[in-house]
Amino acid sequence: MGTPLRMEGASAPLVRAAIVGTGNIARFHIEALTSMPDQVEVVAAADVDEENLTRFGSRHGLDALYRDVEEMLSATSPDLVHVCTPPGLHRSQVLACLEAGASALVEKPPALSLAELEAMAAAEGARGPWFATLFQHRFGSGAQRARALIESGDLGRPLVAVCHTTWYREQSYFDVPWRGRWETEGGGPTMGHGIHQMDLLAALLGDWAEVSASAHQQARTIQTEDVSLARVTFANGAVASVVNSLVSPREESYIRIDLERATIELTHLYGYGDEDWRITPAPGFEEQVTAAWKAGEAGVASGHTAQLGHVIAAVQGGTAPPVTSAESLRTMRLVAGVYASAFQRRPITPADLGADSPFHGRMDGDGPRW
Ligand SMILES: NC(=O)c1ccc[n+]([C@@H]2O[C@H](COP(=O)([O-])OP(=O)(O)OC[C@H]3O[C@@H](n4cnc5c(N)ncnc54)[C@H](O)[C@@H]3O)[C@@H](O)[C@H]2O)c1
């Protein structure tokens, strides 16, 4: 890492964090950062939009404001940069951070394509700096508990899963110029919205082996899909139905995993607490399953603050922060697999998404077929 962490007081290294892009989502980042004053100091923010930048600076008491990211990096030498700009800027800004010796926490989707993401991963150092993707749904205690239980094998094999992100966005949502376009958002609800739950599904079930999908333009006038449907087979044998939609008036985010000894369910919208999880034991396993579920981690809601705790601990400890480049790539390959299967009209495996695939360089490959 280019910049060693500054030691404050007796022991704890204080992480010097900066924010790039001071629009809607940046608020969640700075609130998470300022909730950890013993571990983090926010040193700067950058944005090309003067109005957004000054409003953000005055709202959060930040004086070191820059119109240029490179200038901010060289003037303030942060340890960690939160990249909160539109997706089309993530690759170049993450590369600038890594080049300057700063690790980067980049908002989802981490890049527009697998090629971009692989270039970002290649620029990491073996001992840092790293980049991590903001996939906050992994970090609530419910997800941590479910993951630990599934990995322990105590619930038996995962057999079948459901992963639905059925949301609603009016046509006017796409008035923001970067939304709904392959060149700037990289895709529709598969890439921009359902990716959160697809990432959580992959965190719970591990590597995926094959995907068969379709993509549709049902109701919105946009370049990308507004609905996708997929059947995903995981390496552990589990099969999952994945639905991503932006045309569903009763909005819901739902994950269900049926294992041999229990069903685990999560029902929420944009984030969850422990109360949004439900476990149903199979007949004969009531006591064992209930005890195992109760023994797990509790009390942490999903969200930026939950993930940031893990990110800061990793940066302080000199290890790759989550969600790591390798795990980000697995999730992004699943997204690319959905598009490749939908537009090539055939099942896709991760091996089909190498550098020779048109879906490696662009999520719409050699052109969508509706
Ligand atoms: N994790 C989540 O739940 C979640 C939710 C919403 C958005 N996001 C993601 O966050 C990212 C930003 O979304 P948003 O809704 O905050 O967008 P936004 O348009 O509200 O904010 C983006 C900001 O980036 C600034 N910007 C543009 N070009 C820049 C440049 N070259 N250098 C510095 N700043 C620049 C803009 O001026 C703007 O202030 C996207 O990737 C989006 O998908 C994540």
Side-chain angles (χ1 to χ4, degrees):
M1 224 164 139
T3 316
L5 295 180
R6 187 156 58 83
M7 302 297 289
E8 273 303 291
S11 57
L14 199 63
V15 174
R16 304 178 72 255
I19 294 183
V20 173
T22 56
N24 292 320
I25 205 65
R27 177 171 67 83
F28 293 84
H29 288 260
I30 196 151
E31 285 175 1
L33 287 166
T34 51
S35 75
M36 308 172 69
D38 295 340
Q39 288 151 284
V40 181
E41 178 190 7
V42 184
V43 295
D47 199 306
V48 290
D49 184 311
E50 183 85 47
E51 203 181 314
N52 281 2
L53 185 62
T54 28
R55 192 186 317 119
F56 189 81
S58 62
R59 189 166 292 164
H60 300 288
L62 206 51
D63 298 327
L65 304 174
Y66 295 82
R67 298 283 300 277
D68 183 85
V69 176
E70 310 256 358
E71 193 189 330
M72 181 204 79
L73 288 168
S74 64
T76 64
S77 303
D79 302 308
L80 176 68
V81 178
H82 294 235
V83 178
C84 305
T85 48
L89 296 164
H90 291 177
R91 174 188 167 277
S92 60
Q93 292 180 335
V94 167
L95 289 178
C97 294
L98 297 176
E99 174 73 18
S103 287
L105 176 63
V106 61
E107 266 294 349
K108 65 80 203 165
L112 291 181
S113 67
L114 297 176
E116 285 194 1
L117 198 60
E118 286 172 7
M120 289 153 62
E124 292 181 308
R127 297 173 56 218
W130 297 278
F131 81 86
T133 307
L134 200 303
F135 281 133
Q136 72 266 28
H137 288 349
R138 285 184 181 216
F139 297 94
S141 40
Q144 302 272 322
R145 184 191 328 200
R147 186 175 182 170
L149 256 185
I150 293 169
E151 282 176 358
S152 75
D154 289 351
L155 301 182
R157 284 186 303 126
L159 304 172
V160 56
V162 169
C163 175
H164 289 174
T165 303
T166 40
W167 292 3
Y168 190 77
R169 295 292 182 272
E170 307 252 13
Q171 185 63 42
S172 59
Y173 170 83
F174 298 99
D175 290 347
V176 174
W178 57 267
R179 289 194 181 135
R181 305 182 64 81
W182 296 107
E183 291 77 15
T184 46
E185 195 170 18
T190 320
M191 177 75 155
H193 308 79
I195 193 170
H196 278 301
Q197 292 222 121
M198 289 164 71
D199 176 70
L200 175 54
L201 188 72
L204 296 175
L205 292 181
D207 293 340
W208 63 278
E210 187 181 277
V211 57
S212 292
S214 64
H216 309 265
Q217 292 184 326
Q218 293 294 73
R220 300 290 173 263
T221 307
I222 49 177
Q223 260 191 9
T224 67
E225 86 287 3
D226 55 18
V227 169
S228 71
L229 313 174
R231 183 186 70 232
V232 183
T233 306
F234 285 83
N236 62 15
V239 287
S241 160
V242 179
V243 175
N244 301 300
S245 163
L246 290 181
V247 298
S248 304
R250 191 183 76 72
E251 295 188 289
E252 186 172 80
S253 305
Y254 180 63
I255 286 195
R256 170 186 179 125
I257 299 178
D258 294 302
L259 301 105
E260 288 173 303
R261 293 175 206 148
T263 294
I264 298 176
E265 288 171 280
L266 166 63
T267 309
H268 67 121
L269 187 50
Y270 302 137
Y272 61 79
D274 287 343
E275 65 283 4
D276 299 313
W277 290 81
R278 182 160 70 150
I279 191 152
T280 307
F285 293 96
E286 290 83 354
E287 252 178 59
Q288 177 201 332
V289 166
T290 307
W293 185 251
K294 275 195 182 145
E297 192 177 328
V300 180
S302 67
H304 287 65
T305 304
Q307 177 165 357
L308 204 62
H310 294 266
V311 169
I312 296 299
V315 172
Q316 284 177 321
T319 58
V323 172
T324 61
S325 53
E327 295 214 11
S328 302
L329 264 163
R330 180 175 66 185
T331 295
M332 280 281 280
R333 281 200 189 98
L334 181 54
V335 171
V338 169
Y339 289 121
S341 175
F343 298 143
Q344 293 190 333
R345 305 208 170 136
R346 66 181 179 104
I348 294 289
T349 69
D352 294 322
L353 296 166
D356 55 344
S357 164
F359 292 87
H360 184 260
R362 290 177 61 97
M363 285 291 172
D364 58 342
D366 41 10
R369 286 196 282 154
W370 302 109

